[in-house]
């Protein structure tokens, strides 16, 4: 919700239909809650069903790493929502390795499928209808660590770097049709998945980016911190923003 000058609250996304991938926990679950609070109809997906789904949201199991999974999710969005006005690509992740050379070929492919090609495929299925309606908002969730590219996560950051480049190009293509495409790049965020990954990374030995004391604002991010940025980008308040990348990392990874 947003608050107007006279102190009343408005559900700024009332009537909008939103699809969020990777919405079962962490940042994705926060996104679902905030979109619902703003009045949107929300469908979310994950590879397995969560224990609970926020009241008012719909859920479908889908593996967006595959073309068939993306097609099934797009079909479910059409069936359950009647179309999509807001598309947030939040599904992502990868496991750390001792070095770049130690990353198996299949995990390079998995990182590309999950962190890059899933967005490309789902956009190709859902953006044409937005273009035809001359309205829509797409947000790709990347990573603030892309410029750092720590070797244990090189497959992940390389895929996210490709996602950022693709996002800028898609923004330029769709802008004349009223469809906005932006990126949010979270930094160190307190989520169950993030914590498990950092613990795995720590077992590989010390490396840059592991110490949370390097965050200038003095704390890890919260899922709500990321959700607030996404909500802004999909709202009318960001009506003149496209092709942008909002880095939400407490100042840890400044970009030039």
């Amino acid at each position: 919700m947003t608050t107007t000058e006279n102190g009343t609250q408005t559900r700024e996304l009332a009537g909008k239909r939103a699809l969020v991938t990777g919405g079962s926990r962490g940042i994705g679950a926060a996104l679902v809650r905030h979109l619902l609070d703003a009045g949107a109809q929300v469908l979310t997906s994950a590879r397995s069903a969560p224990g609970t789904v926020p009241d008012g949201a719909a859920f479908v199991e889908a593996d967006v790493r595959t073309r068939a999974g993306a097609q099934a999710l797009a079909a479910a969005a059409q069936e359950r929502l009647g179309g999509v006005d807001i598309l947030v690509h939040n599904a992502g992740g990868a496991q750390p390795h001792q070095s770049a050379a130690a990353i198996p070929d299949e995990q390079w492919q998995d990182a590309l499928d999950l962190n890059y090609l899933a967005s490309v495929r789902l956009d190709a299925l859902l953006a044409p209808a937005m273009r035809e309606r001359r309205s829509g908002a797409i947000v790709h969730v990347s990573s603030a660590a892309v410029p750092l590219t720590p070797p244990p996560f090189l497959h992940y950051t390389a895929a996210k770097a490709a996602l950022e480049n693709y996002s800028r190009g898609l923004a330029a293509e769709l802008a004349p049709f009223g469809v906005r495409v932006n990126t949010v790049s979270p930094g160190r965020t307190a989520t169950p998945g993030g914590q498990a990954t950092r613990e795995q990374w720590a077992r590989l030995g010390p490396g840059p980016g592991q110490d949370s004391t390097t965050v200038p604002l003095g704390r890890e991010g919260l899922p709500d911190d990321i959700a607030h940025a996404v909500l802004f980008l999909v709202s009318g308040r960001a009506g003149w923003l496209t092709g942008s990348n909002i880095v939400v990392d407490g100042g840890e990874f400044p970009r030039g």
Side-chain angles (χ1 to χ4, degrees), residues 41-219:
Q41 293 178 264
V42 182
L43 172 66
T44 189
S45 70
R47 276 178 274 179
S48 58
T52 59
V53 176
D55 289 343
F59 176 84
V60 61
E61 287 190 29
D63 186 349
V64 294
R65 295 175 301 177
T66 69
R67 185 181 302 277
Q71 290 171 335
L73 182 55
Q78 183 61 42
E79 178 183 349
R80 306 283 285 274
L81 300 176
V84 174
D85 305 298
I86 295 167
L87 175 56
V88 183
H89 297 278
N90 175 66
Q95 300 302 309
H97 290 270
Q98 190 68 52
S99 66
I103 302 171
D105 184 77
E106 62 270 18
Q107 291 201 24
W108 276 100
Q109 187 61 58
D110 188 73
L112 287 169
D113 283 331
L114 178 58
N115 298 288
Y116 173 47
L117 291 175
S119 295
V120 174
R121 291 165 178 153
L122 203 53
D123 288 344
L125 292 164
L126 296 174
M130 294 182 180
R131 174 175 169 154
E132 185 175 339
R133 292 194 304 271
R134 305 187 73 85
S135 176
I138 298 171
V139 174
H140 300 113
V141 178
S142 182
S143 170
V146 165
L148 178 66
T149 58
F153 292 98
L154 189 55
H155 51 332
Y156 174 72
T157 55
K160 290 299 191 183
L163 178 67
E164 291 181 14
N165 185 277
Y166 157 76
S167 188
R168 289 191 297 270
L170 187 65
E173 177 182 321
L174 295 180
F177 302 95
V179 180
R180 298 183 299 104
V181 183
N182 291 289
T183 303
V184 168
S185 293
R188 186 190 314 274
T189 308
T191 65
Q195 181 60 31
T197 299
R198 285 189 288 274
E199 290 173 358
Q200 290 178 317
W201 187 10
R203 288 195 288 271
L204 297 177
Q210 291 181 342
D211 186 359
S212 62
T213 62
T214 61
V215 180
L217 284 180
R219 66 169 176 87

Side-chain angles (χ1 to χ4, degrees), residues 18-34:
L19 173 60
V20 179
T21 67
S24 61
R25 61 179 185 167
I27 293 171
L31 285 168
V32 171
R33 291 194 303 272
H34 281 274

Side-chain angles (χ1 to χ4, degrees), residues 7-22:
T8 61
Q9 290 186 324
T10 177
R11 290 161 67 84
E12 62 182 335
L13 298 180
K16 299 295 185 181
R17 303 160 297 179
L19 173 60
V20 179
T21 67

